[in-house]
Amino acid sequence: MLVGVILKIMNVIFLGGPGSGKSTLGKRLAEELGWEWISGGAILRESKEPWVQEKLATAQLFDDQMVSNLIFSRLETAENAIIDGYPRTANQVDILMSRGIKIDYIIEVDVPKAEVEKRIALRGREQDSPEIFEERWKIYQDNRDKIIAPLLGSGVGFSVLDGVGTPEEVYERALSMMKNEVIRSESEF
């Protein structure tokens, strides 16, 4: 674990299309850095409510305000956080910004569609059917700029992480990026 590196509270968003590895990376980095890992998807998967499980199984998006409130409730007690896959819509960005939640940095995990399709086929989960994947991929691509642009306009840092390679190679690139770009950029103030 890295100790004594963070001098202030930081919130870093991990974005990427479905199957990009953002959750795996975010969770592992949070453990390494001693940060909170906050994932709307993980919070929802913990739910035992049948309607939640049904929406998850068919990859339907949840209400923006509800997901935002779930994320915000976890951020209230976090000192440093990696926020996984949120915001996913322009409306969620508006909610985030209207609440005054400070975001310091965005890391976008970039993986070509063909590579993601291979990964998804290997996972073999019910919600990874080709039809659901296509819908989720299109949603991410359609919303990507609407998510990133307003945050960059408010001074949030941004880097693209090459998400292709073995899990260990990608993790090492992500850890290096966190140490050398994200944390360093914030500790200079």
Side-chain angles (χ1 to χ4, degrees):
M1 179 186 297
L2 299 174
V3 179
V5 176
I6 308 302
L7 303 175
K8 61 179 249 173
I9 294 173
M10 288 188 70
N11 292 318
V12 177
I13 292 174
F14 267 60
L15 290 180
S20 63
K22 66 189 171 295
S23 297
T24 302
L25 284 172
K27 187 174 186 179
R28 188 168 171 199
L29 286 167
E31 289 172 7
E32 173 81 16
L33 298 168
W35 289 25
E36 293 291 325
W37 177 65
I38 301 172
S39 165
I43 296 167
L44 290 166
R45 283 188 292 276
E46 291 169 4
S47 172
K48 303 298 181 220
E49 295 290 331
W51 70 272
V52 171
Q53 294 305 314
E54 182 180 326
K55 281 187 105 158
L56 286 171
T58 56
Q60 295 176 49
L61 293 180
F62 287 81
D63 175 73
D64 289 335
Q65 189 65 57
M66 183 191 83
V67 173
S68 297
N69 289 340
L70 289 172
I71 298 293
F72 300 158
S73 70
R74 301 286 171 104
L75 281 172
E76 286 176 3
T77 59
E79 288 192 17
N80 297 297
I82 291 176
I83 305 164
D84 171 7
Y86 174 89
R88 289 184 188 262
T89 67
N91 188 42
Q92 288 178 359
V93 172
D94 292 342
I95 294 167
L96 176 74
M97 294 177 80
S98 73
R99 291 281 295 267
I101 306 292
K102 185 175 184 317
I103 301 300
D104 299 284
Y105 216 89
I106 299 169
I107 294 177
E108 181 180 32
V109 183
D110 183 42
V111 182
K113 185 178 181 185
E115 174 66 21
V116 173
E117 288 172 321
K118 290 180 202 171
R119 291 179 183 184
I120 297 249
L122 291 173
R123 289 195 314 198
R125 298 189 318 206
E126 184 178 329
Q127 68 265 35
D128 289 337
S129 73
E131 298 80 21
I132 291 174
F133 167 73
E134 285 297 328
E135 180 181 338
R136 291 179 65 215
W137 181 267
K138 182 179 183 330
I139 289 169
Y140 181 73
Q141 296 303 317
D142 289 349
N143 284 287
R144 180 195 177 276
D145 292 342
K146 297 172 197 169
I147 295 166
I148 294 172
L151 293 169
L152 294 182
S154 69
V156 173
F158 178 76
S159 290
V160 176
L161 174 70
D162 178 2
V164 177
T166 67
E168 195 58 33
E169 290 168 343
V170 176
Y171 173 74
E172 289 300 325
R173 283 195 295 270
L175 182 60
S176 176
M177 183 178 283
M178 286 293 290
K179 288 178 176 179
N180 298 319
E181 295 178 39
V182 178
I183 295 170
R184 175 176 286 165
S185 72
E186 288 300 314
S187 65
E188 292 172 358
F189 293 102

